[in-house]
Amino acid sequence: MNIDMDMPTDKEIEEVINMLDRKTGEGVSRIGVHRVETEREDFVKEVHHHGRCDIGSPFADGSVGNFGCD
């Protein structure tokens, strides 16, 4: 990716669209995309979650239990 984080190139936009198309083609039903500034061009982080909670939520990571369940 280019160093100028303000304006992605057409090629970069196409790469993201292709990546999302591949993921949905593989059956991924929920995708969250976060753009971060980094000096590394190859920085990609994927987080997988097998439940239906939002990735990274207190319910998904187990830090909050289900209230009222004994």
Side-chain angles (χ1 to χ4, degrees):
M1 299 232 168
N2 69 16
I3 301 302
D4 181 10
M5 295 299 285
D6 292 328
M7 293 295 297
T9 65
D10 289 344
K11 180 183 177 209
E12 291 169 331
I13 293 169
E14 189 67 30
E15 288 173 358
V16 171
I17 291 170
N18 290 335
M19 183 262 312
L20 294 172
D21 284 344
R22 281 191 305 276
K23 291 293 181 189
T24 57
E26 294 169 359
V28 175
S29 61
R30 298 180 78 186
I31 300 173
V33 177
H34 303 275
R35 182 175 182 225
V36 296
E37 291 188 34
T38 178
E39 294 180 14
R40 291 180 47 198
E41 292 183 13
D42 63 342
F43 181 76
V44 175
K45 180 180 177 183
E46 289 191 32
V47 178
H48 299 276
H49 178 62
H50 299 288
R52 297 308 299 170
C53 299
D54 290 331
I55 293 173
S57 76
F59 296 98
D61 68 15
S63 62
V64 173
N66 291 330
F67 297 103
C69 295
D70 293 326

